[in-house]
């Protein structure tokens, strides 16, 4: 007859153990009376549970009924020892003979039925998990929760760092856009101011030119009036002189005629009339000549005044174009100074933004490294606590383990003693059979002494082996724990070195990246400054070229106008007017 035994685990498993195992005194398993009785009672209870499960399976083959049967099944014992599942058993007797049972080879139908039977048993007999396993699972779950929380906190910190970097980059980008917009507005304002000032200067120069031309025309008109007045005075003086000369000549001629008494009066009158006509004709010719001369002088003076007004106009235009070109140059220099100042402010802003970004990166990296270091230290302390807890548990369990080993040795000792007793009984019977009855007492005494001596030696050997076993177990436990501590310390030290190397590598990479960014920014700033200086040089060269061309065109136009005026004056017969001098009173 076979009884099912429930093994410790998640599901129940049946083991086939022969019933004669408990009755055989020659079995390889040794139990005390109480242990055998308790094992028989446990097996009997298990057989009743197994029979009940079979009855439930026959009456309720449906899975739903199976589940109902599993709920109705009684709860098995919490701790029941288990042995491997055997399809046959080998039983040893005292002499070492083996009772080999025939091997059962079930068919596929029996195999499927056995699997169904085992699954039904597992569903009906749920085993209560041991307290140590539950505590171990709870501890592992808590550790997993701590690790998951630590990892989630680390990921959350990394996401927060990324958000901070993105927010800072967006803020710096907005600040740079605002800075560029402000610089663009400054350039536009400068350009508008330049345009307004040039327009104002052009209007001012046009008004000044108009005013100057009016002043020149008024001056020319004033000088012409002055020349006319002077010529009128000259004509009046000339006519008065002619009148005086005419009166003097007439009186002198009358005196001569009065002195000449021989000449008849009619002849005198005729001579006087001819002289008067001659004088009047000569005076009229002189007056006409004077008027013609005054007319020529007036026309020449007017022409010279026009030439002088043209020259003054040219000089005023030259002053105006110089003023305009100087104003443009000043505005261009102010624009270039503004561009240089804007470039310097942009470079300062870029450097400040890069320093802010790099400082935040370093701060976040330092915080990340500090968090990693704290996590690693927490992990190291947790591993050390777990190892210390494990070692403390091993030290607490050491007496129990030693007791178990001692019981095993004592069991072996008891088995050996039983074998010795059996051998002694066999030897005693043999000696009594072959020896005469008178020697039986001496033989029994000698055999008894020999048996006592051997059992004492055997007890001493087992006692020595127990002591050696305890000493070796304690020493081995200390050595194993010390080796585990050393291995853990070495492993944690290596992990800490790896973490430190990784952090140093990350820091070096970030420093190299920052150095590269600084060099790139400096190269960008120098390239932008070179382009700006090249643009300034090109604009200055263009302004100088424009200045030269404008002055050249002005001089060529003024020279053309003066040549055309001189050629027209020569065609009109005025000759060269370059050396014409006005009277001092005319030059006022």
């Amino acid at each position: 007859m076979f009884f099912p035994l429930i093994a410790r685990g998640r599901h129940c498993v049946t083991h086939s153990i022969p019933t004669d195992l408990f009755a055989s005194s020659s079995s390889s398993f040794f139990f005390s009376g109480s242990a055998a009785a308790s094992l028989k009672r446990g097996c009997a209870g298990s057989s009743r549970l197994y029979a009940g499960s079979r009855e439930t399976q026959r009456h309720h083959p449906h899975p739903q009924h199976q589940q109902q049967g599993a709920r109705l099944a009684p709860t098995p014992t919490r701790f029941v020892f288990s042995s491997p599942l055997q399809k046959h058993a080998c039983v040893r007797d005292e002499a070492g003979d083996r009772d080999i049972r025939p091997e059962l080879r079930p068919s596929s139908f029996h195999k499927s039925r056995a699997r169904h039977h085992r699954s039904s048993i597992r569903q009906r007999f749920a085993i209560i998990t041991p307290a140590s396993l539950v505590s171990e699972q709870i501890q592992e779950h808590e550790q997993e929760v701590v690790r998951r929380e630590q990892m989630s906190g680390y990921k959350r910190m990394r996401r927060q760092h990324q958000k901070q970097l993105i927010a800072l980059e967006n803020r710096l980008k907005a600040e740079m856009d605002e800075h560029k917009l402000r610089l663009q507005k400054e350039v536009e304002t400068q350009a508008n101011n330049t345009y307004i000032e040039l327009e104002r200067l052009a209007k001012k120069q046009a008004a000044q030119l108009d005013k100057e031309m009016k002043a020149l025309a008024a001056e020319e008109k004033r000088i012409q009036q002055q020349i006319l007045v002077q010529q009128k005075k000259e004509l009046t003086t000339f006519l008065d002189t002619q009148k005086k000369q005419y009166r003097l000549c007439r009186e002198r001629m009358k005196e001569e005629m009065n002195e000449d008494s021989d000449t008849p009066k009619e002849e005198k009158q005729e001579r006087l009339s001819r002289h008067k006509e001659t004088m009047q004709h000569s005076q009229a010719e002189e007056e006409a000549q004077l008027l013609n001369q005054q007319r020529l002088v007036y026309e020449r003076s007017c022409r010279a005044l026009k030439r002088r007004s043209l020259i003054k106009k040219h000089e005023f235009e030259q002053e105006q174009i110089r003023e305009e070109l100087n104003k443009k140059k000043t505005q261009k220099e102010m624009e270039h100074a503004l561009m240089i100042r804007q470039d310097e402010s942009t470079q300062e802003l870029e450097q400040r933004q890069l320093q802010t970004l790099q400082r935040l990166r370093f701060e976040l990296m330092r915080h990340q490294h500090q968090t990693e270091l704290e996590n690693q230290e927490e992990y190291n302390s947790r591993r050390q606590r777990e190892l210390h807890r494990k070692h403390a548990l091993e030290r607490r369990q050491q007496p129990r383990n030693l007791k178990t080993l001692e019981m095993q040795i004592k069991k072996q000792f008891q088995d050996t003693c039983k074998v010795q007793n059996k051998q002694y009984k066999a030897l005693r019977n043999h000696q009594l059979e072959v020896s005469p009855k008178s020697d039986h007492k001496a033989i029994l005494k000698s055999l008894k002494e020999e048996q006592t001596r051997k059992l004492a030696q055997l007890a001493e050997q087992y006692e020595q082996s127990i002591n050696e076993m305890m000493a070796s177990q304690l020493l081995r436990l200390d050595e194993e724990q010390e080796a585990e501590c050393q291995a853990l310390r070495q492993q944690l030290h290596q992990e800490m070195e790896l973490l430190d190397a990784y952090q140093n590598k990350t820091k070096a990479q970030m420093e190299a990246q920052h150095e590269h960014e600084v060099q790139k920014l400096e190269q960008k700033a120098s390239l932008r400054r070179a382009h700006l200086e090249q643009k300034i040089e090109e604009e200055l060269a263009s302004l100088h070229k424009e200045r030269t061309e404008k002055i050249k065109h002005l001089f060529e136009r003024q020279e053309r106008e003066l040549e055309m005026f001189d050629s027209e004056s020569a065609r009109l017969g005025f000759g060269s007017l370059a050396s014409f001098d006005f009277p001092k009173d005319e030059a006022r």
Side-chain angles (χ1 to χ4, degrees):
M1 182 177 180
F2 296 92
F3 292 102
L5 295 181
I6 302 174
R8 186 184 68 179
R10 186 174 181 182
H11 303 287
C12 53
V13 181
T14 60
H15 299 280
S16 300
I17 299 178
T19 57
D20 56 352
L21 178 65
F22 305 104
S24 176
S25 61
S26 61
S27 174
S28 60
F29 299 98
F30 176 78
F31 299 96
S32 63
S34 60
S38 62
L39 182 58
K40 287 182 180 180
R41 287 195 298 270
C43 292
S46 300
S47 64
R48 288 194 298 272
L49 292 177
Y50 177 74
S53 65
R54 292 296 300 272
E55 289 294 326
T56 304
Q57 183 178 2
R58 284 197 303 270
H59 290 89
H60 303 283
H62 197 271
Q64 184 177 2
H65 297 162
Q66 292 178 4
Q67 295 177 1
Q68 184 177 3
R71 289 195 298 269
L72 296 174
T75 304
T77 308
R78 186 173 183 182
F79 282 96
V80 180
F81 75 93
S82 62
S83 61
L85 182 63
Q86 299 175 354
K87 292 185 176 60
H88 62 86
C90 297
V91 182
R92 296 179 180 272
D93 55 4
E94 295 176 357
D97 297 332
R98 179 176 296 177
D99 182 12
I100 302 177
R101 299 180 182 273
E103 182 179 3
L104 301 177
R105 299 183 180 274
S107 63
S108 59
F109 172 75
H110 291 88
K111 289 182 180 180
S112 63
R113 187 173 180 180
R115 285 195 299 270
H116 182 70
H117 170 67
R118 287 194 296 271
S119 64
S120 176
I121 293 300
R122 283 196 296 270
Q123 291 177 2
R124 285 168 171 76
F125 297 96
I127 302 302
I128 298 177
T129 309
S132 60
L133 183 60
V134 171
S135 62
E136 183 178 357
Q137 291 177 355
I138 292 174
Q139 184 178 0
E140 291 179 357
H141 178 70
E142 290 177 353
Q143 293 177 359
E144 184 66 23
V145 169
V146 170
R147 285 194 294 268
R148 190 180 297 109
E149 181 64 25
Q150 189 178 22
M151 182 56 67
S152 63
Y154 182 76
K155 291 181 179 179
R156 187 166 56 252
M157 180 195 68
R158 291 298 300 272
R159 287 195 297 269
Q160 186 67 23
H161 289 179
Q162 291 295 329
K163 288 181 181 179
Q164 291 181 5
L165 287 174
I166 292 173
L168 179 62
E169 290 176 356
N170 293 333
R171 184 170 63 83
L172 296 179
K173 186 177 182 298
E175 184 181 0
M176 180 58 71
D177 294 339
E178 183 181 358
H179 175 72
K180 289 181 179 179
L181 184 61
R182 186 172 64 254
L183 296 184
Q184 186 177 0
K185 287 183 178 179
E186 289 181 358
V187 172
E188 291 178 356
T189 304
Q190 180 71 20
N192 293 333
N193 293 335
T194 302
Y195 177 76
I196 292 172
E197 290 181 3
L198 289 177
E199 286 290 329
R200 189 183 297 117
L201 179 63
K203 292 180 181 179
K204 178 183 175 182
Q205 288 182 352
Q208 288 178 353
L209 182 60
D210 189 17
K211 184 179 179 180
E212 185 68 19
M213 292 304 295
K214 289 180 180 180
L216 290 175
E219 182 71 16
E220 185 178 351
K221 188 175 182 181
R222 186 184 64 79
I223 294 175
Q224 288 177 0
Q225 291 294 333
Q226 188 177 1
I227 292 172
L228 290 176
V229 171
Q230 185 177 1
Q231 287 182 355
K232 188 176 181 180
K233 288 180 180 181
E234 290 178 356
L235 181 59
T236 303
T237 304
F238 179 75
L239 291 176
D240 292 341
T241 303
Q242 279 186 346
K243 286 180 181 179
K244 290 178 181 180
Q245 290 178 359
Y246 176 73
R247 282 196 300 267
L248 288 174
C249 288
R250 189 180 62 178
E251 289 176 0
R252 188 172 59 248
M253 193 171 181
K254 283 181 178 181
E255 288 177 0
E256 289 179 357
M257 288 178 66
N258 289 331
E259 290 177 359
D260 187 9
S261 58
D262 295 336
T263 305
K265 186 175 181 178
E266 292 80 5
E267 188 178 354
K268 287 182 180 180
Q269 288 292 334
E270 186 178 357
R271 285 179 59 190
L272 184 61
S273 299
R274 283 199 306 272
H275 182 68
K276 182 180 179 179
E277 291 178 358
T278 303
M279 285 291 295
Q280 289 179 353
H281 182 69
S282 62
Q283 286 182 356
E285 288 181 355
E286 289 178 358
E287 183 181 359
Q289 185 178 1
L290 179 60
L291 291 174
N292 189 17
Q293 184 179 359
Q294 285 182 349
R295 182 180 61 79
L296 291 175
V297 170
Y298 178 74
E299 291 179 355
R300 185 179 175 83
S301 299
C302 290
R303 194 70 179 175
L305 284 174
K306 288 183 178 180
R307 189 175 189 276
R308 190 178 69 171
S309 299
L310 182 61
I311 292 174
K312 287 185 177 181
K313 178 186 175 183
H314 289 173
E315 291 176 354
F316 192 75
E317 287 178 349
Q318 292 174 7
E319 291 178 0
Q320 284 186 341
I321 197 170
R322 288 193 187 96
E323 183 181 3
E324 180 185 358
L325 293 174
N326 291 334
K327 188 69 175 179
K328 285 185 177 180
K329 183 179 179 181
T330 304
Q331 294 293 339
K332 188 62 70 173
E333 289 177 353
M334 292 175 61
E335 182 181 352
H336 292 166
L338 177 63
M339 293 169 64
I340 293 174
R341 187 170 64 253
Q342 288 181 353
D343 180 71
E344 291 177 354
S345 63
T346 303
Q347 185 175 358
E348 292 177 358
L349 180 61
E350 289 176 346
Q351 291 178 355
R352 187 170 64 253
Q353 288 185 352
L354 182 60
Q355 290 175 0
T356 303
L357 183 61
Q358 291 180 353
R359 187 162 53 249
L360 179 62
R361 284 178 184 169
F362 266 118
E363 184 65 23
L364 295 180
M365 184 186 65
R366 186 189 63 78
H367 184 262
Q368 177 184 345
H369 288 177
Q370 183 67 25
T371 304
E372 292 174 351
L373 188 60
E374 291 176 357
N375 293 341
Q376 184 65 27
E377 290 177 353
E378 182 181 356
Y379 169 76
N380 294 346
S381 62
R382 186 173 68 249
R383 288 289 302 277
Q384 290 176 358
R385 286 196 304 270
E386 291 175 358
L387 185 61
H388 292 164
R389 193 181 300 113
K390 176 186 174 184
H391 289 173
L393 181 61
E394 289 178 353
R395 284 193 294 270
R396 285 197 302 270
Q397 290 180 352
Q398 180 69 13
R400 186 185 304 171
N401 297 334
L402 293 177
K403 190 67 176 178
T404 303
L405 294 175
E406 184 179 359
M407 293 298 295
Q408 291 179 359
I409 294 175
K410 287 182 178 180
K411 182 181 177 182
Q412 293 178 2
F413 175 69
Q414 291 174 1
D415 293 340
T416 306
C417 289
K418 288 181 180 181
V419 172
Q420 291 269 345
N421 290 330
K422 290 179 181 180
Q423 290 178 357
Y424 166 72
K425 288 179 181 179
L427 181 60
R428 184 187 62 184
N429 295 331
H430 178 70
Q431 290 289 339
L432 291 176
E433 289 176 358
V434 297
S435 61
K437 191 173 183 178
S438 58
D439 297 335
H440 285 180
K441 188 174 182 180
I443 291 172
L444 290 174
K445 184 179 180 180
S446 63
L447 289 176
K448 189 66 175 178
E449 290 177 355
E450 183 69 18
Q451 181 184 5
T452 304
R453 184 179 60 79
K454 288 185 178 181
L455 288 176
Q457 291 179 356
L458 186 62
E460 184 180 357
Q461 291 178 1
Y462 274 97
E463 188 68 26
Q464 184 178 359
S465 64
I466 288 173
N467 295 331
E468 291 177 357
M469 179 270 299
M470 288 185 175
S472 63
Q473 287 294 329
L474 291 173
L475 182 61
R476 187 176 66 179
L477 179 63
D478 294 338
E479 291 178 354
E480 288 179 355
Q481 290 184 353
E482 183 65 26
E484 288 180 356
C485 290
Q486 185 67 23
L488 181 61
R489 283 195 295 268
Q490 185 176 1
Q491 179 185 357
L492 296 180
H493 181 67
Q494 290 178 357
E495 291 178 356
M496 187 64 75
E497 288 182 350
L498 289 175
L499 178 61
D500 187 54
Y502 171 73
Q503 290 182 351
N504 292 332
K505 181 180 178 181
T506 306
K507 186 177 180 181
Q509 289 177 354
M510 183 169 287
E511 290 177 353
Q513 178 185 356
H514 288 179
E515 185 67 23
H516 178 68
E517 288 177 352
V518 170
Q519 293 179 359
K520 187 176 180 180
L521 180 61
E522 292 178 353
Q523 184 179 2
K524 177 183 176 182
S526 62
L527 185 62
R528 186 175 62 240
R529 189 60 178 269
H531 289 168
L532 179 60
E533 292 177 354
Q534 183 179 1
K535 180 181 179 181
I536 291 174
E537 291 179 358
E538 291 177 356
E539 290 182 355
L540 290 177
S542 176
L543 182 63
H544 181 71
K545 183 179 180 181
E546 180 184 359
R547 179 188 182 93
T548 305
E549 289 180 354
K550 280 190 175 183
I551 293 175
K552 181 180 178 181
H553 292 164
L554 178 64
F555 283 171
E556 289 178 354
R557 181 178 61 80
Q558 291 179 352
E559 187 177 358
R560 256 190 332 269
E561 290 178 356
L562 192 59
E563 287 179 357
M564 290 175 62
F565 186 84
D566 290 340
S567 62
E568 186 178 359
S569 298
R571 184 177 59 80
L572 293 175
F574 295 109
S576 177
L577 300 176
S579 61
F580 185 82
D581 296 330
F582 295 96
K584 291 183 180 180
D585 55 346
E586 295 179 359
R588 290 180 300 178

